Every structure is written in C-alpha cells, then in structure tokens.
Amino acid sequence: MGVYEELVERGLIAQVTDEKEIRELVNNGKATFYIGFDPTADSLHVGHFMALVLMKRLQMAGNKPIALVGGGTGMIGDPSGRTDMRKMMTIEQIDHNCECFKKQMSRFIEFGEGKARMVNNADWLRNLNFLDFMREIGPCFSVNDMLRARCYVNRMEAGLTFLEFSYMLMQGYDFYRLYQDYGCNMEFGGDDQWSNMLAGTELIRKKLGKDAYALTITLLTNSEGKKMGKTVGGAVWLDPDKTSPYDFYQYWRNVQDADVIKCLKLLTFIPMEEINEMAKWEGAELNKAKERLAYDLTEMVHGKEEADKADKAAKSIFMGGGSENMPEYKLKDEDYRDGKIDICGVLAVSGLAKSRSDARQNVQQGGVLLDGEKVTDPRASYDAAFFKDGKVVQRGKKSFMKIFS
C-alpha cells in the first residue's frame, strides 16, 4: 500500500483537486507540500496537531514539507467558520507567536538542508505595495465566485469587512510565492480551507500556466460536533505550561467511545491491521484502546518520560491510589488576597477551571473535592499553611491537581 492509499484508508483525505497526479507525487516522494499555521496564540493546540502528524507521515515517505507560519496573514485573520472578526494582534505579538510555533514544530518535523523548511509569509506580505499587488493579482479573482465561497458564508449576515475579504487573495498569493521560490506543488489544509486553497491553485495556473494541487484533510470532531482542540475548559495546548502532560493524556483518555478508533486512525502511527482489530473491542476492552491513544499521543508531544508519568498517575488515581505523579501547582504570592485564597481562586489559578465564575459553578453543583471532602461553599478560603504539605483538589470525576504553597 502506498502512503496516499494509507491516508485514504485512515480517513484523512476529505477533498482533492487531481487525485491521479496527487497519488503519484505523494507515493513517489515527489511532493513538496505546505501547510499554513496562523499564529493566533503563543502555542499550537491539538487542532494543529493533526496537521503536524500528517506532515510527519509524508516526510517519512520522502516528501518535503514546508511549514508556513503566517506572520503576514496573521495580521488579517482567517474568517473561515467564524461569525465575528478576529481580534487584531500587534506585530510584536504575531512575531512572538511565530517563534513559539517554530520551537514546537521541531518536535515533529525534521528541518534542515534537503529536509523540511520553515517559511514565514511576512517575508513577502508585509512589504507588498497595494496598487502593484492589486494590478498583478486582483484580475485573477472573481468577486462573484469569492462571495459563494464557504469560508465567507458565516460572515455575510454579520458583516464581512474588506480586511477579511482580502484573506483569500493573501492565501492564494502564498501558494503562488511558494511555488516560485521553493518549487512547492501541493497544499494541504483543513476541510474548511477548500475555497482558500483553490484560490492558490487557480492563481498558479492563470499566472504561470502550471499545475499545482490541493488536498484537504478531515477535521476531527467529537460526538458533540465540536472541533478538535476544544474541551470544556477551553483549548488543549501542546505547550506543557498551558496544558500539562497529565491533562493532555486525560483529554485523549476521555474521548467518546464512538471517536476512539477514528482518533487512532487519524493521529497515531499504529498499523491499520492493529487498529482494525481494536475496532472489534467493546466495553472495558475499548478502554485499553483509549489508554493506547492517550499514551502514544502524549509520548509524541511530551516525550516518553512524561507519558509514563501521566499514564501511571491516571491509573493510580483510577485505582484509588496515592497522588504520586499527579500534576501539581505551586501557589504564588500573587494568588493570595490578604493572605488567603478561596476555593474558586484555587481552581482558577491551577487551571482546573477556566475562570472564577466557572469554578463557582463547579462548587455549587457539588463537583469539587478537597482531599476527598466535598466543598460546598464557594467562599471557603485557606492560608498558605493549609497547603504546606500539599492538598489534592478534584474537579469532576477525572480532573485532579495537587496544590502546594
């Protein structure tokens, strides 16, 4: 089986422009492809993780990845799938986020001479002359076609700004420049990017008379239809300071039964024969598949040592054991108010709740325990001495944190 056929079997491919040509390029290691990452935060999240895994698969088959960080497009913001305009970031924020992305991507992709490249579209977008750009690129785009594009549908009723409307031209121009400068002949992206990606293939064809290809990958969703990367507490980050290895492990360990096989296919390197056997499992056996998913992905993102610790902590807690290897949070001086911190503050600063209001709701609903005792008063407060030897705070059935002063 070729790598393209494996992508299809794993359910990764959603749409393609020219399947025969794409299959030949990918299977023969002749694709120079890119995936774009707009730096909307200072960490990648698991919504990006699927793209990174795909890049790794294709690189292992001899193809050359280009990781394009959007130092230019990030100044506009992709309107795809949104009902409101993105908050505009400063150039300093964008550049900082780009640097953070570069460090994280290196864990997955092998960069270097003759290997993968990392490119920033700020190199050509930030210094564009508007009139020159519009005269060269504008005639290649039909406004009628653009208004029918799926990426703009959600923005039309609320009001689509010209700033956001120009995003498609920018993304198309990215592919055009990458084709010319680096011989990039293929773009991968999420299924919500199809219209933007076709803009690039069409621009290359019209301006250069050359063929370039586009593929979209299936966006991983859970049973409730939420995009991968979002959970009750917000985004699941690849940065361990934002989402601890334990919480990352728990996110995957707690996927819905209906999603575990799909996740194994899309995100792991476990052979399909083995995954197909797991698909026959039910009940308690399916929990073993979830543990394998959680362990493999945590190892990929955070390394074997952290995966071992997270796995051991999760199993210890499940079996009613001690708090060894449980994620920890050390309270800071600024966490206290007049020498004390209330339970809502503990939950919020430790990351067990996304905000104080979220924490208050958890307490009022009876979902918070402190060293095994239910906390019912959101105003319950504690001094530093109380946490001197560490206290285990539990939110819900599966979120634990050891709190120290």
Short mmCIF file of all heavy atoms in Angstrom, two decimals, residues 235-262:
data_model
loop_
_atom_site.label_atom_id
_atom_site.label_comp_id
_atom_site.label_asym_id
_atom_site.label_seq_id
_atom_site.Cartn_x
_atom_site.Cartn_y
_atom_site.Cartn_z
N ALA A 235 -9.15 25.50 25.07
CA ALA A 235 -8.29 24.81 24.12
C ALA A 235 -7.34 23.86 24.83
O ALA A 235 -6.94 24.07 25.97
CB ALA A 235 -7.50 25.82 23.31
N VAL A 236 -6.99 22.78 24.14
CA VAL A 236 -5.97 21.84 24.63
C VAL A 236 -4.67 22.15 23.89
O VAL A 236 -4.56 21.92 22.69
CB VAL A 236 -6.40 20.38 24.38
CG1 VAL A 236 -5.30 19.41 24.81
CG2 VAL A 236 -7.67 20.07 25.12
N TRP A 237 -3.70 22.68 24.63
CA TRP A 237 -2.48 23.20 24.02
C TRP A 237 -1.38 22.15 23.99
O TRP A 237 -1.36 21.22 24.80
CB TRP A 237 -1.99 24.42 24.81
CG TRP A 237 -3.01 25.50 24.93
CD1 TRP A 237 -3.80 25.75 26.01
CD2 TRP A 237 -3.36 26.47 23.95
NE1 TRP A 237 -4.62 26.83 25.75
CE2 TRP A 237 -4.37 27.29 24.50
CE3 TRP A 237 -2.91 26.74 22.64
CZ2 TRP A 237 -4.95 28.35 23.80
CZ3 TRP A 237 -3.47 27.79 21.94
CH2 TRP A 237 -4.48 28.58 22.52
N LEU A 238 -0.41 22.35 23.08
CA LEU A 238 0.77 21.49 23.04
C LEU A 238 1.84 21.98 24.00
O LEU A 238 2.76 21.24 24.32
CB LEU A 238 1.33 21.42 21.61
CG LEU A 238 0.37 20.95 20.51
CD1 LEU A 238 1.16 20.67 19.22
CD2 LEU A 238 -0.42 19.73 20.92
N ASP A 239 1.75 23.21 24.44
CA ASP A 239 2.68 23.78 25.41
C ASP A 239 2.37 23.20 26.79
O ASP A 239 1.25 23.37 27.31
CB ASP A 239 2.52 25.30 25.43
CG ASP A 239 3.51 25.99 26.35
OD1 ASP A 239 4.08 25.32 27.25
OD2 ASP A 239 3.71 27.21 26.21
N PRO A 240 3.32 22.53 27.45
CA PRO A 240 3.05 21.91 28.76
C PRO A 240 2.73 22.92 29.84
O PRO A 240 2.14 22.56 30.86
CB PRO A 240 4.35 21.15 29.07
CG PRO A 240 5.40 21.81 28.24
CD PRO A 240 4.71 22.27 26.99
N ASP A 241 3.12 24.19 29.66
CA ASP A 241 2.77 25.21 30.64
C ASP A 241 1.31 25.65 30.53
O ASP A 241 0.77 26.25 31.45
CB ASP A 241 3.68 26.44 30.48
CG ASP A 241 5.13 26.13 30.85
OD1 ASP A 241 5.33 25.25 31.71
OD2 ASP A 241 6.04 26.76 30.29
N LYS A 242 0.68 25.35 29.40
CA LYS A 242 -0.72 25.70 29.21
C LYS A 242 -1.63 24.50 29.44
O LYS A 242 -2.72 24.64 29.99
CB LYS A 242 -0.93 26.25 27.79
CG LYS A 242 -0.33 27.63 27.55
CD LYS A 242 -0.58 28.07 26.12
CE LYS A 242 -0.13 29.50 25.90
NZ LYS A 242 -1.00 30.48 26.57
N THR A 243 -1.22 23.35 28.97
CA THR A 243 -1.94 22.10 29.22
C THR A 243 -0.90 21.10 29.69
O THR A 243 0.00 20.72 28.91
CB THR A 243 -2.64 21.57 27.95
OG1 THR A 243 -3.61 22.53 27.52
CG2 THR A 243 -3.34 20.26 28.23
N SER A 244 -0.97 20.67 30.92
CA SER A 244 0.04 19.76 31.46
C SER A 244 0.00 18.43 30.72
O SER A 244 -1.03 18.05 30.16
CB SER A 244 -0.22 19.51 32.95
OG SER A 244 -1.37 18.69 33.13
N PRO A 245 1.13 17.69 30.68
CA PRO A 245 1.13 16.37 30.06
C PRO A 245 0.05 15.45 30.62
O PRO A 245 -0.56 14.67 29.87
CB PRO A 245 2.53 15.83 30.36
CG PRO A 245 3.38 17.06 30.45
CD PRO A 245 2.50 18.09 31.09
N TYR A 246 -0.23 15.59 31.93
CA TYR A 246 -1.28 14.77 32.53
C TYR A 246 -2.65 15.14 31.95
O TYR A 246 -3.45 14.26 31.58
CB TYR A 246 -1.29 14.95 34.04
CG TYR A 246 -2.45 14.27 34.73
CD1 TYR A 246 -2.42 12.91 35.01
CD2 TYR A 246 -3.59 15.00 35.08
CE1 TYR A 246 -3.51 12.28 35.64
CE2 TYR A 246 -4.67 14.38 35.70
CZ TYR A 246 -4.61 13.02 35.97
OH TYR A 246 -5.68 12.42 36.58
N ASP A 247 -2.94 16.43 31.87
CA ASP A 247 -4.23 16.86 31.32
C ASP A 247 -4.34 16.51 29.84
O ASP A 247 -5.43 16.19 29.34
CB ASP A 247 -4.43 18.36 31.51
CG ASP A 247 -4.74 18.72 32.96
OD1 ASP A 247 -5.25 17.84 33.68
OD2 ASP A 247 -4.46 19.85 33.36
N PHE A 248 -3.22 16.60 29.12
CA PHE A 248 -3.20 16.21 27.71
C PHE A 248 -3.54 14.72 27.58
O PHE A 248 -4.36 14.32 26.75
CB PHE A 248 -1.81 16.49 27.13
CG PHE A 248 -1.71 16.29 25.64
CD1 PHE A 248 -2.08 17.30 24.77
CD2 PHE A 248 -1.23 15.10 25.11
CE1 PHE A 248 -1.97 17.13 23.39
CE2 PHE A 248 -1.13 14.92 23.75
CZ PHE A 248 -1.50 15.93 22.88
N TYR A 249 -2.91 13.92 28.42
CA TYR A 249 -3.19 12.48 28.44
C TYR A 249 -4.67 12.24 28.73
O TYR A 249 -5.34 11.44 28.05
CB TYR A 249 -2.31 11.81 29.50
CG TYR A 249 -2.54 10.32 29.68
CD1 TYR A 249 -1.69 9.40 29.08
CD2 TYR A 249 -3.60 9.84 30.46
CE1 TYR A 249 -1.89 8.03 29.25
CE2 TYR A 249 -3.81 8.48 30.62
CZ TYR A 249 -2.95 7.58 30.02
OH TYR A 249 -3.16 6.24 30.17
N GLN A 250 -5.19 12.92 29.75
CA GLN A 250 -6.57 12.72 30.15
C GLN A 250 -7.56 13.13 29.07
O GLN A 250 -8.62 12.53 28.91
CB GLN A 250 -6.87 13.50 31.43
CG GLN A 250 -6.29 12.88 32.68
CD GLN A 250 -6.95 11.55 33.01
OE1 GLN A 250 -6.52 10.49 32.56
NE2 GLN A 250 -8.02 11.60 33.78
N TYR A 251 -7.22 14.17 28.30
CA TYR A 251 -8.09 14.61 27.21
C TYR A 251 -8.34 13.47 26.24
O TYR A 251 -9.47 13.20 25.83
CB TYR A 251 -7.46 15.81 26.50
CG TYR A 251 -8.23 16.24 25.27
CD1 TYR A 251 -9.42 16.96 25.40
CD2 TYR A 251 -7.79 15.93 23.99
CE1 TYR A 251 -10.13 17.37 24.29
CE2 TYR A 251 -8.49 16.33 22.87
CZ TYR A 251 -9.66 17.04 23.02
OH TYR A 251 -10.37 17.43 21.91
N TRP A 252 -7.26 12.77 25.88
CA TRP A 252 -7.40 11.67 24.92
C TRP A 252 -7.95 10.41 25.59
O TRP A 252 -8.68 9.64 24.95
CB TRP A 252 -6.06 11.39 24.25
CG TRP A 252 -5.56 12.56 23.48
CD1 TRP A 252 -4.52 13.38 23.79
CD2 TRP A 252 -6.12 13.08 22.27
NE1 TRP A 252 -4.39 14.38 22.85
CE2 TRP A 252 -5.35 14.21 21.91
CE3 TRP A 252 -7.18 12.70 21.46
CZ2 TRP A 252 -5.63 14.95 20.77
CZ3 TRP A 252 -7.46 13.44 20.32
CH2 TRP A 252 -6.69 14.55 19.99
N ARG A 253 -7.62 10.21 26.85
CA ARG A 253 -8.16 9.04 27.55
C ARG A 253 -9.68 9.13 27.70
O ARG A 253 -10.36 8.10 27.77
CB ARG A 253 -7.51 8.95 28.95
CG ARG A 253 -8.06 7.87 29.87
CD ARG A 253 -7.89 6.49 29.31
NE ARG A 253 -8.45 5.48 30.19
CZ ARG A 253 -9.75 5.16 30.24
NH1 ARG A 253 -10.61 5.81 29.49
NH2 ARG A 253 -10.17 4.21 31.07
N ASN A 254 -10.21 10.35 27.67
CA ASN A 254 -11.64 10.54 27.91
C ASN A 254 -12.44 10.81 26.64
O ASN A 254 -13.57 11.27 26.71
CB ASN A 254 -11.85 11.70 28.89
CG ASN A 254 -11.31 11.39 30.27
OD1 ASN A 254 -11.31 10.24 30.70
ND2 ASN A 254 -10.83 12.40 30.96
N VAL A 255 -11.87 10.50 25.46
CA VAL A 255 -12.65 10.70 24.24
C VAL A 255 -13.86 9.78 24.25
O VAL A 255 -13.87 8.74 24.93
CB VAL A 255 -11.81 10.44 22.97
CG1 VAL A 255 -10.65 11.39 22.85
CG2 VAL A 255 -11.34 8.99 22.90
N GLN A 256 -14.88 10.17 23.52
CA GLN A 256 -16.09 9.35 23.43
C GLN A 256 -15.76 7.98 22.81
O GLN A 256 -14.88 7.86 21.97
CB GLN A 256 -17.13 10.05 22.55
CG GLN A 256 -17.57 11.41 23.06
CD GLN A 256 -18.42 11.31 24.31
OE1 GLN A 256 -19.18 10.36 24.48
NE2 GLN A 256 -18.30 12.29 25.18
N ASP A 257 -16.50 6.95 23.24
CA ASP A 257 -16.30 5.61 22.67
C ASP A 257 -16.39 5.63 21.15
O ASP A 257 -15.63 4.95 20.46
CB ASP A 257 -17.36 4.64 23.22
CG ASP A 257 -17.13 4.29 24.69
OD1 ASP A 257 -16.12 4.75 25.27
OD2 ASP A 257 -17.96 3.56 25.25
N ALA A 258 -17.32 6.44 20.63
CA ALA A 258 -17.54 6.48 19.19
C ALA A 258 -16.38 7.11 18.43
O ALA A 258 -16.28 6.95 17.21
CB ALA A 258 -18.83 7.25 18.90
N ASP A 259 -15.49 7.82 19.15
CA ASP A 259 -14.41 8.56 18.48
C ASP A 259 -13.04 7.90 18.57
O ASP A 259 -12.12 8.28 17.85
CB ASP A 259 -14.29 9.98 19.07
CG ASP A 259 -15.51 10.82 18.77
OD1 ASP A 259 -16.15 10.58 17.75
OD2 ASP A 259 -15.83 11.71 19.57
N VAL A 260 -12.87 6.93 19.47
CA VAL A 260 -11.53 6.45 19.76
C VAL A 260 -10.86 5.80 18.55
O VAL A 260 -9.68 6.05 18.28
CB VAL A 260 -11.54 5.49 20.98
CG1 VAL A 260 -12.38 4.26 20.73
CG2 VAL A 260 -10.11 5.10 21.35
N ILE A 261 -11.57 5.00 17.77
CA ILE A 261 -10.97 4.34 16.61
C ILE A 261 -10.62 5.37 15.54
O ILE A 261 -9.55 5.32 14.92
CB ILE A 261 -11.90 3.26 16.04
CG1 ILE A 261 -12.15 2.17 17.10
CG2 ILE A 261 -11.31 2.65 14.78
CD1 ILE A 261 -10.91 1.47 17.60
N LYS A 262 -11.50 6.35 15.37
CA LYS A 262 -11.22 7.42 14.41
C LYS A 262 -9.96 8.18 14.79
O LYS A 262 -9.12 8.49 13.95
CB LYS A 262 -12.42 8.37 14.34
CG LYS A 262 -12.26 9.48 13.31
CD LYS A 262 -13.52 10.33 13.26
CE LYS A 262 -13.41 11.43 12.20
NZ LYS A 262 -14.62 12.27 12.16
#
